[in-house]
Amino acid sequence: MATRTAAERREEERQRYNAYVATCPSRKLLDTLSDKWASLALTALAHGPLRYSELARMIAGVSQKMLTQTLRTMERDGLVSRTVTPSVPVRVDYRLTPLGENLLPLLEAIKRWAEVHMEDVEAAREAYDRRVDSQP
Amino acid sequence: MATRTAAERREEERQRYNAYVATCPSRKLLDTLSDKWASLALTALAHGPLRYSELARMIAGVSQKMLTQTLRTMERDGLVSRTVTPSVPVRVDYRLTPLGENLLPLLEAIKRWAEVHMEDVEAAREAYDRRVDSQP
DNA sequence: CGGAATCCAAAGGGATACTG
DNA sequence: CAGTATCCCTTTGGATTCCG
């Protein structure tokens, strides 16, 4: 049956990739960092704990769904901790764990590389686009 | 017209994010590195140029479409260069540019951080999952 | 050999409405 | 306030086919 075979092959490929990700720490870390809002949340929390609504305001453009999802993932990964104060209304604070703080210097390194080299990338892109545009 | 307004709002959000990405080098860099196959291609090319088919074999699990797309993007970003030898059949080699080579140490830094700390992340995940599972 | 073009399924993610 | 649940559009990416 062609359909089933194709689906199975797809599943195999997916698992091959997952297996790779599972054994490759760098890949796992990149997956975490590149989560659309994770690095933003991480740097937002760099200077102290914040409430959910404060985070939502600082990370302009994030939807409530994605903010919650991002924070959950980061909590699960041990990068942030979540503290509920059972007042009325409830108050929830997020703060970096030591592990999360440990990640900040790496983000800094990424930022530094980017600040130094991204204009070269920009220039390369423009040059590339000019080349392509001038080709019929 | 509700439909049009919703679509416009969505478009605005998208552009807000794009505007942010455009002004944030770190975010741009993370977008590049986290491209599912970019870091793999980068490290595959670390020790010298490779042909298209060689890359395809080294990066097991990548589809031809994604490999091509990744290489195009990296070429546009000035990270790799593409050389066509017009023989029959054609031969195409990819190699890192100086800019691309310059990125390798950063990948190394990411790899080192991951190797040192990802087991903490693993442990945090298991602890988190145990906590959640034991809650009805 | 090294692609480009097309098609389609699956995942991602925003909007909205509801809850403790 | 800080979420959860649902709906549904958009994007991603694999499979397949065709080309120089």
Side-chain angles (χ1 to χ4, degrees):
Chain A
M1 213 175 289
T3 305
R4 194 176 137 221
T5 310
E8 285 177 349
R9 290 241 309 271
R10 232 171 279 138
E11 185 56 21
E12 274 176 39
E13 287 300 328
R14 213 181 58 80
Q15 294 193 2
R16 251 213 280 179
Y17 181 73
N18 285 344
Y20 158 68
V21 166
T23 60
C24 179
S26 328
R27 184 66 259 174
K28 282 194 288 188
L29 180 57
L30 277 175
D31 276 357
T32 297
L33 290 182
S34 68
D35 209 295
K36 206 174 173 185
W37 307 104
S39 57
L40 282 176
L42 228 40
T43 55
L45 291 170
H47 302 301
L50 291 172
R51 301 183 58 170
Y52 180 89
S53 48
E54 291 173 324
L55 276 168
R57 244 173 294 118
M58 288 187 64
I59 310 179
V62 70
S63 68
Q64 143 274 12
K65 172 180 174 178
M66 289 319 293
L67 181 55
T68 297
Q69 182 176 302
T70 300
L71 290 169
R72 284 290 170 283
T73 302
M74 289 171 61
E75 187 192 1
R76 179 168 182 262
D77 288 351
L79 300 177
V80 306
S81 65
R82 178 171 176 272
T83 311
V84 181
T85 307
S87 52
V88 179
V90 272
R91 174 198 176 101
V92 181
D93 287 272
Y94 291 90
R95 79 179 60 219
L96 291 185
T97 63
L99 186 59
E101 286 179 5
N102 198 302
L103 195 50
L104 290 176
L106 185 60
L107 280 179
E108 262 305 306
I110 292 171
K111 182 181 164 197
R112 264 198 308 280
W113 195 98
E115 285 173 349
V116 172
H117 298 287
M118 282 313 279
E119 62 183 272
D120 291 344
V121 172
E122 259 2 291
R125 283 184 191 172
E126 288 175 23
Y128 181 92
D129 291 343
R130 270 198 306 279
R131 254 178 289 146
V132 173
D133 289 345
S134 63
Q135 281 177 15
Chain B
M1 216 176 288
T3 304
R4 194 175 136 223
T5 309
E8 284 177 349
R9 290 242 307 271
R10 233 171 279 137
E11 185 56 20
E12 275 175 40
E13 287 302 327
R14 213 181 58 80
Q15 293 192 2
R16 251 213 281 181
Y17 181 73
N18 284 345
Y20 158 68
V21 166
T23 60
C24 180
S26 328
R27 184 67 257 173
K28 282 195 288 189
L29 180 58
L30 277 175
D31 277 358
T32 298
L33 289 182
S34 67
D35 210 293
K36 206 172 171 184
W37 307 105
S39 56
L40 282 177
L42 229 38
T43 55
L45 290 170
H47 303 300
L50 291 172
R51 300 184 59 170
Y52 181 89
S53 46
E54 291 173 324
L55 276 168
R57 244 173 294 118
M58 288 188 62
I59 310 178
V62 70
S63 67
Q64 160 270 340
K65 175 180 174 178
M66 289 317 296
L67 181 56
T68 298
Q69 183 176 304
T70 300
L71 290 170
R72 282 292 170 282
T73 302
M74 289 170 61
E75 186 192 1
R76 179 167 180 263
D77 289 350
L79 299 177
V80 305
S81 66
R82 178 172 177 271
T83 312
V84 181
T85 308
S87 53
V88 179
V90 272
R91 174 197 175 98
V92 180
D93 286 273
Y94 292 90
R95 80 180 60 217
L96 292 184
T97 63
L99 186 59
E101 287 178 7
N102 198 299
L103 195 51
L104 290 177
L106 185 59
L107 280 178
E108 262 305 306
I110 292 172
K111 183 181 162 196
R112 264 198 307 280
W113 195 98
E115 285 172 349
V116 172
H117 298 288
M118 283 313 279
E119 63 182 272
D120 292 344
V121 172
E122 256 6 288
R125 282 184 192 172
E126 287 174 26
Y128 182 92
D129 291 344
R130 268 198 306 277
R131 253 177 289 146
V132 173
D133 288 346
S134 64
Q135 279 176 17

